[in-house]
Amino acid sequence: MDNRPVGTRQARELLGVAFGPSVVALGVIAAVVLLQLLIANSDMTGALGAIASMWLGVHLVPISIGGSELGVLPLLPMLAMVWGTARSTARATSPAGSWFVTRWVVASALGGPLLIAALALAVVHDAASVLTQLQTPDALRAFGSVLAVHAAGAVIGVGSRVGRRVLAGSPLPAWLPDAFRAASAGVLALLGLSGVVMVGSMVVHWATMHDLYGITDSIFGQFSLTLLSILYIPNVLVGTAAVAVGSSAHIGLATFSSFTVFGGDIPALPVLAALPTPPLGPIWVALLIVAAASGVALGQQAARHPLPLLPAIGKLVVASAIAALIMAVLGHAGGGRLGNFGDVGVDQATFGPAVFLWFAGIGALTVAMSGGIARRVRAPKPAPEPEEEPGPEDEAEDEAQLELAAESEPEPEPAAGPDPEPEFEPAFEAEPAAEDSDIEDSDIEDPDVGPRAQVEPRDIDPDAFGDPEDHFVVDDLPDDQATPGATTDRAPNRDD
């Protein structure tokens, strides 16, 4: 979907988001109601009121008939409505779409059902004037329930498309989607394992279920009971999950938990044959394994992307809190008042905290054992990058730059005046003058000593040694380097 303003094509999509799921629900409800009336050979008086009441009942709006309130409504139609809203909003939302269009999608998902709710309340109020047993539900409760159901679906649908984009531009941690995924895994595991326990209990109590079907002899009546039992399966799953985590479920005075069971009157619904009967056997204590296994599922999902200790704990706590909140909402939605039987539901004071403790405790052990905590590793120092050897192109560029620099530099002007004389270093370094006035014979007699440098004469008596030139010895010097007046013969020793 492009980012232009809402056009003809987008208006068609928004109409589908606004009225699609609700119209489908109305069609299914109308078919069921008309089929019931035809089978019962009844006239169509009050058909519209029944259809409107059932549509409100799908959104968990209590229905009052003959002074008895039916507040325990099936969760399966409500979950189907949430799924339909989420699917329609997700199809109409583009991950890269403008926020203007996204806001219109959410507004359509909420505005259409609210309009239908207003029409349904008007129809029920009009039908109540003909059918005295039918009572108009509370308008505030009706609008609130419809808004909550479709808002949940819109958040799920739109969040699945633009959630990561919203998270990228917010200060929220990056592991938040993983926490939602782990919470979903834990909730699905808890409900799924509770379903296995429920089926097993129904097989064990097969005789009780047969007796519940015996309240009617007609095939259509048994079919209606079966359909009604299917609609109430999620309610029973939530009650079984409450018993599995250590909380309790109740139907009027009858209370069920993992440790004790108090009997009482229950409705004649075949799916309720799964309820345990007193005295409680030790097999029901094994329900705690269901809660532990669900915590393992949540922990394994949370450990998919290892994090340091504190972020890993934060992700696990957030996932456990989300899962506990979902189960608490389902427990509240699946309960209510059931006519003369009294209140039906789970113990809300212990259900949510028990789910959180199981998921957080067992999930933490699973994360630690599954490697969900990443160790801090010191990053190695980056190795110096090897210098690239200059290639032929680089050498050509360097030569071109050197030639250009040589051409741009001015030639130095010759200095005026006579040329300076070159400086030469002496071939031999002068030896320090001897302190004594006498010259040792060893220095004269050593043949390995090369030509000595001239020593500045001091106050030497010329009569003591004769001619000083006789004491200088030159060994095999070439003729052109011979010192004038020097002899090639060895000077006689003065001791001779």
Side-chain angles (χ1 to χ4, degrees):
M1 187 167 52
D2 53 5
N3 298 334
R4 63 183 178 177
V6 179
T8 304
R9 181 175 59 85
Q10 292 179 346
R12 191 182 302 112
E13 293 179 353
L14 293 179
L15 284 175
V17 171
F19 301 105
S22 299
V23 169
V24 171
L26 282 173
V28 174
I29 293 171
V32 172
V33 170
L34 293 177
L35 183 62
Q36 290 276 359
L37 292 177
L38 289 175
I39 293 175
N41 294 325
S42 176
D43 54 4
M44 298 300 170
T45 304
L48 293 178
I51 293 173
S53 298
M54 292 183 65
W55 187 89
L56 292 175
V58 169
H59 295 83
L60 304 181
V61 179
I63 300 174
S64 298
I65 300 176
S68 299
E69 181 181 353
L70 178 60
V72 185
L73 297 169
L75 288 177
L76 186 59
M78 185 271 296
L79 295 177
M81 183 64 69
V82 171
W83 176 81
T85 304
R87 185 172 179 270
S88 62
T89 52
R91 292 180 60 183
T93 305
S94 175
S98 66
W99 294 112
F100 177 78
V101 177
T102 303
R103 288 194 295 267
W104 269 103
V105 170
V106 176
S108 300
L110 300 180
L114 289 177
L115 178 60
I116 295 179
L119 295 176
L121 286 174
V123 170
V124 171
H125 181 72
D126 182 68
S129 61
V130 179
L131 301 175
T132 56
Q133 294 182 350
L134 184 63
Q135 298 177 3
T136 305
D138 183 30
L140 183 61
R141 172 71 183 273
F143 283 116
S145 298
V146 172
L147 182 63
V149 170
H150 288 272
V155 168
I156 295 173
V158 175
S160 64
R161 304 303 298 272
V162 300
R164 294 189 178 276
R165 186 174 63 166
V166 173
L167 185 61
S170 66
L172 297 175
W175 45 258
L176 195 58
D178 294 338
F180 277 100
R181 190 178 296 109
S184 302
V187 170
L188 291 177
L190 182 58
L191 293 177
L193 294 176
S194 299
V196 173
V197 173
M198 183 192 71
V199 172
S201 180
M202 290 179 66
V203 172
V204 172
H205 300 88
W206 188 265
T208 303
M209 185 173 61
H210 185 270
D211 294 339
L212 293 175
Y213 269 112
I215 63 175
T216 178
D217 296 333
S218 65
I219 298 178
F220 181 75
Q222 294 181 354
F223 174 76
S224 300
L225 288 176
T226 302
L227 181 60
L228 196 60
S229 297
I230 292 174
L231 296 178
Y232 274 99
I233 283 178
N235 302 62
V236 180
L237 291 180
V238 173
T240 307
V243 176
V245 296
S247 182
S248 62
H250 58 275
I251 301 177
L253 297 178
T255 305
F256 310 93
S257 69
S258 298
F259 309 100
T260 57
V261 172
F262 296 101
D265 295 335
I266 61 173
L269 194 62
V271 72
L272 296 181
L275 298 176
T277 55
L280 182 64
I283 189 64
W284 287 97
V285 182
L287 279 173
L288 302 179
I289 301 176
V290 172
S294 303
V296 171
L298 185 143
Q300 287 181 345
Q301 192 69 25
R304 288 184 59 187
H305 300 91
L307 293 174
L309 180 60
L310 293 181
I313 294 176
K315 179 169 67 173
L316 177 65
V317 171
V318 171
S320 302
I322 294 173
L325 179 62
I326 293 174
M327 294 303 300
V329 170
L330 290 177
H332 175 74
R337 185 165 185 82
L338 184 59
N340 297 329
F341 290 96
D343 293 332
V344 178
V346 298
D347 187 9
Q348 292 290 341
T350 59
F351 184 37
V355 173
F356 176 80
L357 291 178
W358 275 104
F359 283 169
I362 303 300
L365 294 177
T366 306
V367 168
M369 297 176 64
S370 301
I373 301 176
R375 298 180 180 179
R376 295 183 179 272
V377 181
R378 295 183 179 179
K381 296 182 179 179
E385 298 181 357
E387 297 182 358
E388 298 181 357
E389 297 182 358
E393 298 179 357
D394 299 337
E395 293 179 356
E397 292 180 0
D398 295 341
E399 292 177 0
Q401 292 178 1
L402 290 175
E403 292 178 1
L404 183 60
E407 292 177 0
S408 61
E409 291 181 357
E411 296 181 357
E413 298 179 359
D419 296 337
E421 296 182 357
E423 297 180 358
F424 299 96
E425 296 181 357
F428 305 99
E429 295 181 358
E431 295 182 359
E435 296 180 0
D436 298 333
S437 59
D438 298 336
I439 298 176
E440 295 182 358
D441 297 339
S442 61
D443 297 335
I444 300 174
E445 296 176 356
D446 190 0
D448 298 333
V449 178
R452 298 180 180 273
Q454 293 182 1
V455 181
E456 184 180 358
R458 296 186 180 181
D459 297 334
I460 301 175
D461 188 4
D463 298 335
F465 299 99
D467 190 359
E469 294 180 357
D470 296 338
H471 296 279
F472 292 92
V473 179
V474 180
D475 295 335
D476 299 333
L477 292 175
D479 295 340
D480 55 352
Q481 296 183 7
T483 304
T487 176
T488 58
D489 296 335
R490 183 178 180 182
N493 192 354
R494 65 179 180 177
D495 295 335
D496 294 339

